[in-house]
Amino acid sequence: MNISGSFLSWKRQLALLAGMIIAANCLAQENTSPNGPAKVELRQADGRWQLYVNHQPFFVKGAGLEFGDQEKLAAAGGNSFRTWRTDNGQETGRQVLDRAQKNGLYVAMGLDVAGERQGFDYSDSNAVAKQLAEIKSQVLQYKDHPALLMWDIGNELNLNSQNPKVWDAVNEISKMIHQVDPNHPTTTSVAGVNKELVDEIKSRAPDLDFLSVQSYSDIVNLPGELHDSGWNGPYLVTEWGATGHWECGKTSWGAPIEDDSSVKASLYRKRYEAAIAADSTNCLGSYVFLWGQKQERTPTWYGMFLPFGQETEAVDVMQDIWTGHWPEFRSPQLKGFWLDGKSSFQNVHLNAGGNYTAKVQVQSPDNAPVTYVWNIMEESQAQTIGGDFESQPADMPDLVSPNHTGGAQINAPTKPGAYRLFVYALDNHGKGAYANIPFYVDAKPSAVATTSAINSVHGE
């Protein structure tokens, strides 16, 4: 036996082994480095489903955010946000992801898949192929960004949809993503769940890694609905929040009645505890809606921020849920709002051109001074669904004269029809509360009609 030769061979083996270990470490560092893609996995352990990001457990504490404030989301304890498309018209997908990385946030990147309700024909193979190619180019562009968490393929594609081939297209998109991007899971966001929908997705889109569900007032029933529909796998809640304008009470003339900011905040907590925190087996987390502001039936219905930028009580609640701590300064709280002595549930009728009193009761937990902003708008006539774009009715602030006691004098519009009175209570910490009352303006009685009514009372 040549001892010196064996010794040299052993040294070479050690060097080779060391090189392999260094290479493996470099590869692992590449997958978790600030400049490389995050490795996102879905695992099941002890019967519980959970996301892992770079080998660490990750429960989504997120919000739907397209034009909202990422920095405030991070400060409130959020760890992720979702989008509905890659480029939102104000920022490119790259800018969105770069900013998220700076803020320590991960992005559930939405892929804008056309809906049947928007006129797309999923029986048109050429159109489907063209859409697949467009989405592939987006995936290739952003798949290696370190702030990317997952791909959300389409939004509420089941809404007003009849053609089940949409799920074939979703499956092909998911397969394409898995071929070019091994690091990020795929999902699709649906509006509610039922057995027929779940059966279609299971059959036609089995390549999806998990299901995402969007629900509002009915979210408290989500765990039971998922069970009844036959979905026993992992899921994410990608939209939830205020009671939907299609779920609430309405006035006698059909105007939906919106909860005030404090009622909404209370419902956010109850719904989170009932539907998200309650399921530690299959729920991967949630994205509350909406971290920002938008016009959808009203300028305040779904946004957790005011049109002027102030945070509302819903933001305070989510920070407490995510971190276990309230913010240093709490938002003003709405205690009551009346127009002509009536609340929003009392079918408020005003006479055209008449003068009326409005009163609001607000409590500031930090005793911060509160200023009030008042406004009247015509009732929105939008019939859009699924969060599609709506135009905001024109402001009519000149019809309101605030007083020094937290109230205002209202001059009813002269044109008969449906309107809303809005009040915003703003403090000096960037916080605010709000409420609105729908009201109907009746035509002013004519002089002849008034005389006839008086004569009839006197028996003339």
Side-chain angles (χ1 to χ4, degrees):
M1 177 180 293
N2 188 325
I3 295 179
S4 61
S6 299
F7 179 73
L8 290 173
S9 176
W10 177 243
K11 286 179 68 177
R12 290 191 188 100
Q13 292 181 49
L14 282 175
L16 179 62
L17 180 60
M20 292 172 65
I21 292 173
I22 292 171
N25 287 337
C26 288
L27 181 61
Q29 290 174 6
E30 180 182 348
N31 286 339
T32 60
S33 74
N35 298 317
K39 181 65 177 176
V40 185
E41 303 169 279
L42 185 63
R43 302 181 191 174
Q44 187 180 31
D46 299 325
R48 180 187 179 191
W49 287 101
Q50 190 159 21
L51 286 172
Y52 280 75
V53 177
N54 296 328
H55 314 294
Q56 298 298 317
F58 189 90
F59 187 78
V60 175
K61 301 176 181 179
L65 186 158
E66 193 151 45
F67 308 115
D69 194 321
Q70 289 191 26
E71 290 73 22
K72 286 185 177 179
L73 177 62
N79 59 15
S80 179
F81 63 90
R82 69 162 293 204
T83 71
W84 288 262
R85 54 196 58 81
T86 53
D87 295 9
N88 61 36
Q90 294 185 14
E91 294 179 302
T92 66
R94 177 71 58 185
Q95 290 171 323
V96 169
L97 289 163
D98 285 348
R99 187 174 162 199
Q101 185 181 10
K102 290 179 181 177
N103 290 313
L105 299 170
Y106 286 98
V107 182
M109 185 65 81
L111 295 169
D112 191 9
V113 178
E116 187 180 351
R117 63 187 174 84
Q118 296 157 332
F120 195 91
D121 182 4
Y122 278 94
S123 294
D124 184 340
S125 58
N126 290 331
V128 171
K130 180 180 179 182
Q131 177 173 254
L132 177 62
E134 291 172 351
I135 291 174
K136 183 175 182 179
S137 68
Q138 297 171 30
V139 172
L140 291 173
Q141 189 174 3
Y142 301 121
K143 68 182 181 67
D144 293 326
H145 198 287
L148 181 64
L149 182 67
M150 66 183 73
W151 298 104
D152 192 2
I153 305 171
N155 186 67
E156 298 187 346
L157 294 172
N158 59 316
L159 198 61
N160 286 12
S161 175
Q162 301 296 324
N163 191 344
K165 289 184 178 180
V166 64
W167 306 119
D168 298 337
V170 167
N171 198 60
E172 289 304 308
I173 294 170
S174 179
K175 288 169 63 177
M176 174 273 294
I177 291 173
H178 285 138
Q179 288 169 1
V180 302
D181 180 5
N183 295 308
H184 303 102
T186 63
T187 187
T188 188
S189 292
V190 296
V193 289
N194 56 55
K195 191 174 188 311
E196 180 182 3
L197 173 63
V198 166
D199 286 347
E200 280 189 349
I201 291 176
K202 282 182 175 180
S203 172
R204 292 178 175 268
D207 193 73
L208 293 171
D209 292 296
F210 56 89
L211 185 64
S212 291
V213 184
Q214 308 193 155
S215 183
Y216 286 82
S217 176
D218 200 39
I219 193 174
V220 294
N221 300 313
L222 182 58
E225 290 172 346
L226 286 164
H227 178 270
D228 293 344
S229 70
W231 186 268
N232 55 8
Y235 67 93
L236 191 63
V237 181
T238 42
E239 279 187 27
W240 67 278
T243 299
H245 59 265
W246 63 93
E247 300 172 307
C248 62
K250 292 181 171 57
T251 64
S252 58
W253 57 92
I257 301 171
E258 180 180 355
D259 291 326
D260 65 47
S261 55
S262 290
V263 171
K264 287 181 186 177
S266 175
L267 290 173
Y268 272 59
R269 181 179 294 280
K270 290 177 182 177
R271 290 168 182 170
Y272 186 91
E273 292 173 349
I276 297 163
D279 186 356
S280 59
T281 302
N282 294 330
C283 185
L284 305 173
S286 74
Y287 293 98
V288 66
F289 187 86
L290 169 74
W291 197 268
Q293 182 271 337
K294 69 174 296 195
Q295 165 68 31
E296 190 167 355
R297 294 311 187 267
T298 75
T300 55
W301 203 296
Y302 297 100
M304 299 167 69
F305 289 74
L306 295 182
F308 326 107
Q310 288 85 353
E311 301 174 21
T312 69
E313 200 174 342
V315 174
D316 297 355
V317 166
M318 292 313 302
Q319 177 170 330
D320 184 53
I321 288 172
W322 289 332
T323 69
H325 302 287
W326 291 101
E328 180 182 2
F329 299 107
R330 301 275 296 273
S331 297
Q333 298 170 354
L334 222 299
K335 298 299 181 181
F337 185 34
W338 303 269
L339 173 57
D340 195 29
K342 301 181 181 67
S343 73
S344 58
F345 294 93
Q346 293 180 284
N347 293 317
V348 179
H349 281 259
L350 306 181
N351 290 325
N355 189 264
Y356 299 88
T357 298
K359 182 180 179 181
V360 63
Q361 185 177 351
V362 173
Q363 178 180 323
S364 176
D366 302 301
N367 295 316
V370 174
T371 58
Y372 296 92
V373 176
W374 298 81
N375 190 23
I376 289 176
M377 285 184 179
E378 289 188 1
E379 182 68 26
S380 172
Q381 300 304 310
Q383 298 297 316
T384 54
I385 61 173
D388 292 345
F389 174 78
E390 292 181 16
S391 296
Q392 182 170 304
D395 293 337
M396 308 169 73
D398 294 341
L399 298 178
V400 185
S401 300
N403 58 36
H404 299 293
T405 60
Q409 291 302 119
I410 307 300
N411 292 320
T414 56
K415 177 184 174 183
Y419 298 85
R420 279 182 196 259
L421 172 66
F422 293 81
V423 64
Y424 303 91
L426 314 177
D427 69 13
N428 58 354
H429 299 303
K431 307 275 189 170
Y434 64 88
N436 66 71
I437 295 178
F439 65 93
Y440 197 91
V441 172
D442 298 311
K444 188 175 181 179
S446 67
V448 174
T450 303
T451 301
S452 298
I454 293 173
N455 291 340
S456 66
V457 169
H458 291 281
E460 297 178 10

